């Protein structure tokens, strides 16, 4: 495979709730990538097709050059466009690793580690369900739980209202119950999923300090760096955020404001492996840790793990055990395990870094038959006053 690899085709594939990109070179080498905007797959797929007009016929190895062209050629960016760029970038890294016969992390400076600590998801509508799922996942060897929501994953069909005091006290009590069940064996990565106001985030986070959560994730909506910094300055628990950021500059805005300690870069949204490495370097310069976001398939997981292997400031990796068809329910297997040829298995809270050439994971030929395209319905939970609830 020493001959020059040029890009012969770029194809978006809507498989279940996932958007994959398949790139094939003139010598038949196939690269796989994944884009992370599960709510707008059609828009991202259209962007992939648009970028294909530029990419076909170009050298497959010029990843940084292509990354910059796709970002810079017009004035317009956004989550759907940058998810397309991310998926393409991951697929190009997959090709380069396969052609050179090495895992991607070898192309990023080599391995800092051979295993990555992971956290499993907890999706439940009741605190009793949360505690039962904690016990089940402890038996499976997990040492950390994320998407563990003290406000609970109630359905969009339930009208919501609680007084401020009850909203705060119920959720804080739920965290106390979680800690009582898991003890010191498990870290709690408390998911708030942007549902609080800054005032609520300050009150609640300080109420759970006694339970020593590893962090609170997305305590408020992510649009205002100043608001997140205001919360960070007033609470005693570290903040993790960034999963909705689609440029490196959004991370720079938070890091410069000392607004977070754990950087939740989404490799499938923020520019792929190329973008994630840039974010990791910025975070390292600020002594912040990376917690890559991946509520996606094992393709997205593999991309995250290749980055995790090659950076010194990796903390823990999201391992998606739930969210089938966009529904908040817990499972034991990684989301999308049935459409790929390999999924790293959890052993004592860790997974091995895939070491096959490229990503180390391939999408099955019949993936679309196994999981026909799924479109997320547009809906939100209603508030009692007639507005909507972020959750």
């Amino acid at each position: 495979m020493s001959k020059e690899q040029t890009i012969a085709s770029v194809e978006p594939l809507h498989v279940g709730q996932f958007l994959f990109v398949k790139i094939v070179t003139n010598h038949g080498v196939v690269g796989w990538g994944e884009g992370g905007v599960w709510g707008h797959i059609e828009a991202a797929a259209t962007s992939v097709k648009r970028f294909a007009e530029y990419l076909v016929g170009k050298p497959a190895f010029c990843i940084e050059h292509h990354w910059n062209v796709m970002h810079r050629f017009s004035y317009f960016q956004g989550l759907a466009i940058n998810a397309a760029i991310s998926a393409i970038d991951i697929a190009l890294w997959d090709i380069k690793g396969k052609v050179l016969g090495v895992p991607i992390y070898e192309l990023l400076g080599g391995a800092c580690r051979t295993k990555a600590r992971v956290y499993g998801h907890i999706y439940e509508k009741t605190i009793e369900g949360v505690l039962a799922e904690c016990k089940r996942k402890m038996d499976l060897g997990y040492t950390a739980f994320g998407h563990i929501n003290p406000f609970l994953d109630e359905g969009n069909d339930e009208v919501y209202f609680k007084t401020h005091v009850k909203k705060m006290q119920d959720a804080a009590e739920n965290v106390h119950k979680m800690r009582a069940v898991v003890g010191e064996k498990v870290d709690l990565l408390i998911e708030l999923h942007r549902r609080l106001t800054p005032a609520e985030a300050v009150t609640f986070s300080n109420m759970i300090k006694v339970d020593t959560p590893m962090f609170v994730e997305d305590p408020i909506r992510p649009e205002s760096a100043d608001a997140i910094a205001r919360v960070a300055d007033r609470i005693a628990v570290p903040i993790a955020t960034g999963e909705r950021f689609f440029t490196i500059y959004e991370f720079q805005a938070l890091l410069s404001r000392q607004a977070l300690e754990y950087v939740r870069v989404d490799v499938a949204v923020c520019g792929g492996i190329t973008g994630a490495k840039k974010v990791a370097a910025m975070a390292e310069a600020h002594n912040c840790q990376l917690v890559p976001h991946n509520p996606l398939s094992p393709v997205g997981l593999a991309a995250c793990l290749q980055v995790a292997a090659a950076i010194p400031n990796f903390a823990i990796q999201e391992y998606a055990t739930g969210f089938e068809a966009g529904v908040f329910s817990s499972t034991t297997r990684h989301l999308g395990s049935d459409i790929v040829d390999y999924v790293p298995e959890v052993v004592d809270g860790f997974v091995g870094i895939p070491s096959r050439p490229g990503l180390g994971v391939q999408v099955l030929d019949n993936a679309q038959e196994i999981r026909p395209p799924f479109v997320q319905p547009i809906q939100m939970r209603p508030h009692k006053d007639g507005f909507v609830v972020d959750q």
Side-chain angles (χ1 to χ4, degrees):
M1 293 190 194
S2 59
K3 298 179 182 178
E4 183 181 35
Q5 303 282 332
T6 59
I7 298 170
S9 65
V10 180
E11 178 186 7
L13 293 172
H14 187 171
V15 178
Q17 67 205 75
F18 312 117
L19 172 65
F20 297 120
V21 167
K22 180 182 180 181
I23 298 181
V24 183
T25 73
N26 59 325
H27 293 290
V29 181
V30 176
W32 289 100
E34 184 168 9
V37 282
W38 44 263
H40 296 282
I41 287 177
E42 300 86 353
T46 298
S47 295
V48 171
K49 294 175 184 177
R50 176 79 167 115
F51 288 129
E53 299 171 13
Y54 156 75
L55 289 164
V56 171
K58 299 292 194 303
F61 279 17
C62 297
I63 301 173
E64 180 73 31
H65 183 86
H66 299 325
W67 191 90
N68 274 277
V69 169
M70 290 186 289
H71 275 96
R72 293 169 181 252
F73 96 99
S74 78
Y75 296 108
F76 306 105
Q77 295 190 51
L79 277 165
I81 292 171
N82 287 30
I85 295 172
S86 302
I88 290 167
D89 180 85
I90 295 166
L92 290 175
W93 280 106
D94 190 26
I95 287 171
K96 195 165 191 174
K98 286 173 177 174
V99 171
L100 298 178
V102 295
I104 291 168
Y105 63 74
E106 291 289 3
L107 307 176
L108 304 176
C112 291
R113 56 184 57 80
T114 58
K115 296 188 292 186
R117 191 184 180 202
V118 298
Y119 69 85
H121 285 174
I122 307 285
Y123 296 102
E124 296 295 336
K125 293 183 177 182
T126 67
I127 187 58
E128 293 77 18
V130 169
L131 301 180
E133 187 64 18
C134 285
K135 293 175 183 177
R136 179 166 73 147
K137 283 194 165 66
M138 288 174 71
D139 290 341
L140 294 173
Y142 287 91
T143 63
F145 301 145
H147 197 98
I148 187 163
N149 182 357
F151 294 91
L152 306 174
D153 292 313
E154 297 171 334
N156 286 334
D157 56 338
E158 300 181 43
V159 175
Y160 181 80
F161 172 73
K162 284 186 179 182
T163 62
H164 172 78
V165 62
K166 185 164 179 57
K167 183 178 181 179
M168 298 294 101
Q169 289 184 347
D170 284 357
E173 182 60 28
N174 285 341
V175 177
H176 302 335
K177 291 176 180 177
M178 295 171 196
R179 177 56 71 201
V181 165
V182 304
E184 297 178 356
K185 296 179 180 179
V186 171
D187 283 316
L188 298 175
L189 288 54
I190 300 299
E191 173 69 271
L192 302 181
H193 225 240
R194 87 242 189 272
R195 70 183 296 157
L196 302 182
T197 65
E200 290 172 332
V202 170
T203 299
F204 171 74
S205 298
N206 287 328
M207 290 173 74
I208 64 169
K209 175 187 174 182
V210 65
D211 297 301
T212 321
M214 185 170 172
F215 54 68
V216 290
E217 181 179 354
D218 290 341
I220 65 173
R221 291 179 59 86
E223 292 87 354
S224 172
D226 288 336
I228 297 173
R230 193 166 82 240
V231 172
D233 189 51
R234 290 163 170 77
I235 66 174
V237 178
I239 288 178
T241 194
E243 67 183 49
R244 291 170 177 79
F245 293 169
F246 57 89
T247 71
I248 62 176
Y249 309 106
E250 292 164 289
F251 287 100
Q252 187 275 336
L254 261 65
L255 289 164
S256 67
R257 289 167 170 80
Q258 301 180 41
L260 77 172
E261 296 296 334
Y262 293 96
V263 176
R264 295 284 281 135
V265 65
D266 190 318
V267 179
V269 165
C270 194
I273 289 169
T274 301
K277 275 285 287 182
K278 296 173 190 285
V279 172
M282 285 193 293
E284 182 183 359
H286 287 81
N287 280 334
C288 291
Q289 301 295 106
L290 225 68
V291 181
H293 178 249
N294 186 63
L296 305 173
S297 85
V299 174
L301 173 66
C304 292
L305 292 174
Q306 295 296 329
V307 174
I311 62 172
N313 55 324
F314 166 78
I316 194 167
Q317 173 61 50
E318 181 170 9
Y319 192 89
T321 52
F323 202 50
E324 286 284 353
V327 177
F328 286 156
S329 60
S330 301
T331 61
T332 56
R333 299 180 66 203
H334 194 285
L335 181 64
S337 293
D338 55 342
I339 54 172
V340 295
D341 66 347
Y342 173 70
V343 182
E345 295 294 330
V346 180
V347 179
D348 296 330
F350 290 78
V351 298
I353 307 292
S355 58
R356 297 189 304 189
L359 275 177
V361 174
Q362 295 271 107
V363 177
L364 300 181
D365 291 339
N366 63 338
Q368 282 187 312
E369 297 175 16
I370 298 170
R371 287 180 179 248
F374 171 78
V375 177
Q376 184 79 12
I378 299 175
Q379 58 183 7
M380 291 188 71
R381 187 177 186 182
H383 191 276
K384 187 176 181 179
D385 69 2
F387 194 53
V388 294
V389 178
D390 287 309
Q391 67 173 44

